[in-house]
């Protein structure tokens, strides 16, 4: 079986690690592809930074700083201190020394004329990831946030500097109208036996992937069932600030509301199936949102076991659909 996952950073990486663990245990999965959000990407100090891609890369390589949630474990910050002293990076965005090695390598390949997909392929060869990472697009679609009062800033400034505390009015992606899905990402969606939507931030992680012209069509046409996992547990966004993002687009921080936001594939939306937490299912009369068959399963990804189990539950649900 071939599994393709749509993913953002921390939640996406934990989920991808769970799919890989389930694959190792079951022996049922021959290939795992991950279509990665590129909306968080930006240029800083002359280098191209891919936060969600690098969260996946480092987590799957066992090199992630799990406590902090981003960057490399055992990191040092000597160069970062110099960059900040020169004023070339702001004090709220730190490029660790080891991490900078990744940014420099990536930027060198990009400057040599490789596409982001080609560069991701190279970055994926250093460690045995067991998963292939694909940027959702080869075009730059950096997310910008328009906040109350009309100021517009890069997503990283809103998220990292302001901790998503400035009320957002909307999210924009300069140049997205002319963007297209990366061919390798499209191929992974088309070839999949199951497409899984990780419990990533629906607005700023999954949202930019879906906003790429042609991506929604590709997902609608995919022969595989598309099953999503809720990142909202007990009415709260766990390990993140997804609630500020959902508020900006008028969606409640609620698992069923997120499923309705994604929409049923049978009605032109994204999902054939949806996984919610047991506590969210218990409060409602039915396990369906907007006609999307839903099941209640344990959603917390605490360790290899719970993450692998969640992946297995998502695949089991998919096998009952379409
Ligand atoms: P980011 O790009 O680093 O913000 O990470 P993602 O967008 O991939 O994932 C962030 C989201 O993952 C959070 O908003 C949570 O809703 C979700 N999340 C984090 N940990 C868990 C977990 O253990 N279980 C589930 N179901 N969702 C989680
Ligand atoms: N997040 C922070 O809160 N502070 C930082 O200084 C920071 C630096 C950083 C450098 C490289 C990278 O790939 C990610 C980094 N992040 C940092 C995390 C990241 O900006 C966000 O959490 C995500 O983009 C949201 O998914
Ligand atoms: Ca992200």
């Amino acid at each position: 079986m071939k599994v393709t996952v749509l993913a953002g950073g921390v939640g996406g990486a934990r989920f991808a690690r769970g799919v890989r663990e389930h694959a190792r245990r079951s022996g049922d999965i021959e290939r795992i592809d991950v279509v990665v959000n590129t909306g968080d990407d930006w240029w800083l100090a002359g280098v191209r930074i891919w936060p969600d891609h690098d969260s996946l890369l480092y987590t799957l390589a066992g090199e992630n700083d799990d406590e902090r949630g981003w960057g490399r474990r055992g990191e040092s910050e000597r160069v970062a201190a110099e960059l900040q002293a020169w004023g070339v990076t702001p004090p709220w965005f730190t490029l660790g020394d080891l991490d900078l090695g990744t940014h420099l390598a990536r930027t060198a390949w990009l400057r040599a004329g490789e596409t982001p997909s080609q560069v991701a392929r190279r970055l994926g060869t250093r460690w045995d990831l067991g998963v292939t990472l694909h940027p959702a697009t080869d075009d730059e679609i950096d997310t910008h946030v328009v906040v109350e009062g009309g100021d517009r800033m890069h997503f990283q400034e809103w998220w990292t500097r302001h901790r998503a505390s400035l009320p957002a009015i909307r999210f924009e992606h300069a140049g997205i109208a002319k963007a297209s899905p990366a061919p390798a990402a499209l191929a992974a969606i088309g070839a999949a036996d199951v497409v899984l939507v990780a419990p990533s931030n629906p607005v700023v992680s999954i949202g930019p992937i879906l906003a790429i012209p042609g991506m929604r069509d590709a997902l609608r046409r995919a022969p595989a069932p598309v099953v999503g996992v809720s990142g909202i547990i007990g009415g709260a966004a766990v390990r993140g600030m997804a609630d500020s993002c959902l508020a900006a687009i008028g969606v409640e921080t609620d698992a069923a509301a997120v499923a309705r936001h994604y929409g049923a594939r049978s009605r032109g939306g994204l999902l054939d199936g949806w996984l919610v937490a047991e506590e969210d299912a218990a409060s409602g009369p039915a396990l369906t949102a907007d006609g999307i068959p839903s099941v209640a399963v344990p959603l917390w990804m605490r360790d290899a076991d719970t993450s692998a189990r969640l992946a297995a539950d998502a695949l089991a649900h998919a096998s009952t659909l379409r």
Side-chain angles (χ1 to χ4, degrees):
M1 180 171 39
K2 298 191 185 89
V3 178
T4 295
V5 182
L6 309 189
V10 172
R14 282 176 183 251
F15 187 68
R17 197 166 49 181
V19 177
R20 182 181 68 180
E21 182 61 24
H22 171 66
R24 286 179 179 162
R25 292 177 184 192
S26 68
D28 285 349
I29 299 175
E30 79 205 59
R31 195 181 161 86
I32 305 166
D33 290 275
V34 179
V35 175
V36 184
N37 172 42
T38 59
D40 296 19
D41 301 1
W42 68 329
W43 287 98
L44 185 68
V47 293
R48 187 70 174 153
I49 300 167
W50 291 354
D52 286 359
H53 173 277
D54 289 356
S55 282
L56 281 151
L57 176 69
Y58 295 156
T59 299
L60 292 164
E63 293 290 337
N64 194 55
D65 181 334
D66 282 332
E67 248 160 66
R68 206 168 45 171
W70 50 271
R72 294 281 291 271
R73 66 185 166 80
E75 185 61 287
S76 55
E77 293 175 357
R78 293 193 73 196
V79 182
E82 285 297 300
L83 290 172
Q84 289 182 6
W86 287 117
V88 79
T89 57
W92 44 266
F93 205 86
T94 303
L95 302 179
D97 297 334
L98 300 175
D99 194 31
L100 254 170
T102 308
H103 307 316
L104 288 170
R106 169 165 47 232
T107 307
W109 289 319
L110 289 171
R111 291 221 186 284
E114 295 192 15
T115 64
S117 295
Q118 290 169 325
V119 170
R121 209 168 307 139
R122 278 189 195 267
L123 291 169
T125 58
R126 176 164 171 198
W127 294 289
D128 179 18
L129 303 180
V131 162
T132 309
L133 304 179
H134 307 282
T137 174
D138 286 328
D139 301 304
E140 289 185 11
I141 58 155
D142 301 18
T143 302
H144 287 80
V145 188
V146 179
V147 300
E148 263 175 32
D151 280 357
R152 188 174 186 273
M153 63 193 78
H154 194 281
F155 168 75
Q156 290 301 342
E157 182 170 0
W158 181 72
W159 183 264
T160 303
R161 179 183 191 185
H162 298 292
R163 319 300 313 170
S165 64
L166 301 179
I169 294 174
R170 63 179 181 277
F171 300 92
E172 295 178 348
H173 308 275
I176 197 162
K178 291 197 179 131
S180 52
L186 281 183
I189 290 168
D193 297 301
V194 178
V195 174
L196 299 177
V197 182
S200 292
N201 188 313
V203 186
V204 294
S205 289
I206 304 299
I209 299 177
L210 301 177
I212 299 161
M215 190 59 94
R216 280 183 178 276
D217 272 355
L219 286 158
R220 265 193 293 267
R221 279 197 313 267
V226 179
V227 170
V229 180
S230 175
I232 307 296
I233 304 180
V238 295
R239 296 194 192 105
M241 304 179 278
D243 41 352
S244 330
C245 303
L246 287 165
I249 63 159
V251 173
E252 236 183 296
T253 303
D254 171 81
V258 171
R260 279 195 300 275
H261 166 67
Y262 283 143
R265 192 144 79 125
S266 56
R267 300 182 194 173
L270 174 69
L271 298 175
D272 294 306
W274 184 235
L275 269 64
V276 298
E278 285 152 325
E279 51 266 50
D280 295 313
S283 61
L287 295 183
T288 57
D290 199 24
I292 303 166
S294 305
V295 288
V297 301
L299 282 197
W300 279 100
M301 299 181 285
R302 296 183 205 282
D303 49 30
D305 264 358
T306 48
S307 306
R309 168 86 195 281
L310 178 57
D313 286 339
L315 293 172
H317 189 39
S319 73
T320 68
L321 305 166
R322 285 165 72 90

